[in-house]
Amino acid sequence: MSTPEWQLHFRPTPAELAEAMASVGSTAFRGSARAVLIVYWLFLGLCAPLGLTFFFWVGVELAGGPGISDLPTGGLPVTFVVLALASLWIARRVHFHTSVVSAQSRFGRATAATITPDHLIIATQHSSWQTDWADVEAVTRGPKVIAVQVSAIAFALPLRAFESPVDADAAYQTMRDWVAQTR
């Protein structure tokens, strides 16, 4: 029986990198760190829009518009919902921008990945990075990528870089097995 190995060549897209980053983020934020992440999203989706809602309507009143007590019944809730959705959309755009910057960087433009039982090598035109499976925190799979997490770094291995969906499935399960063997 031959030892499984994969040699991939690809240029990751911002969407693939964003998916890998999100996947790694979900495994990196465990325990008390998960609570911090929840508070962060509650602040962005609840507290900030609530404050902005009142700031907006006080500004309208100071500019000569209707006072808060004179607003139509849905005025405050509608304003809050619009600002909450805008706040969450902006936050997601900021996070997605990181993947755009990464995809356009010299490191992200073109990549080769060598996957062997001993290590994962990520190489570009100018550099090479190697990690043994013992240093890999997690291997996760999403709709477009297999994400390899080393510390808080996400390496995206696009499914399209594999020979077939079956080959991608085999690589994913094999990498997870290699990581499990190091525990």
Side-chain angles (χ1 to χ4, degrees):
M1 185 166 149
S2 66
T3 304
E5 293 189 8
W6 291 266
Q7 184 71 36
L8 309 175
H9 297 278
F10 55 91
R11 181 178 181 153
T13 66
E16 291 166 340
L17 292 170
E19 181 182 314
M21 289 178 203
S23 178
V24 164
S26 67
T27 61
F29 284 94
R30 294 184 185 122
S32 62
R34 174 76 61 172
V36 171
L37 186 63
I38 290 168
V39 168
Y40 169 74
W41 283 107
L42 282 174
F43 179 80
L44 285 176
L46 184 65
C47 297
L50 187 60
L52 285 171
T53 297
F54 285 102
F55 181 77
F56 173 77
W57 286 110
V58 166
V60 167
E61 185 175 359
L62 291 174
I68 289 178
S69 61
D70 300 326
L71 291 176
T73 305
L76 287 174
V78 168
T79 304
F80 171 77
V81 168
V82 167
L83 291 172
L85 292 173
S87 176
L88 294 174
W89 180 82
I90 290 167
R92 289 185 56 84
R93 293 303 307 163
V94 167
H95 289 280
F96 185 75
H97 181 70
T98 304
S99 65
V100 171
V101 169
S102 183
Q104 294 173 349
S105 72
R106 287 186 209 168
F107 185 82
R109 284 189 200 141
T111 305
T114 303
I115 305 165
T116 73
D118 298 320
H119 49 255
L120 169 67
I121 299 173
I122 302 292
T124 68
Q125 184 178 358
H126 304 287
S127 63
S128 179
W129 193 81
Q130 175 180 318
T131 187
D132 291 347
W133 295 108
D135 289 336
V136 172
E137 301 291 329
V139 178
T140 59
R141 181 175 176 176
K144 296 178 189 160
V145 300
I146 295 172
V148 178
Q149 177 186 353
V150 179
S151 185
I153 300 167
F155 290 106
L157 305 174
L159 298 179
R160 63 182 167 78
F162 291 89
E163 290 180 11
S164 68
V166 171
D167 189 41
D169 289 341
Y172 169 67
Q173 190 55 54
T174 301
M175 287 186 282
R176 288 178 55 93
D177 291 344
W178 289 337
V179 170
Q181 290 170 7
T182 67
R183 302 292 185 247

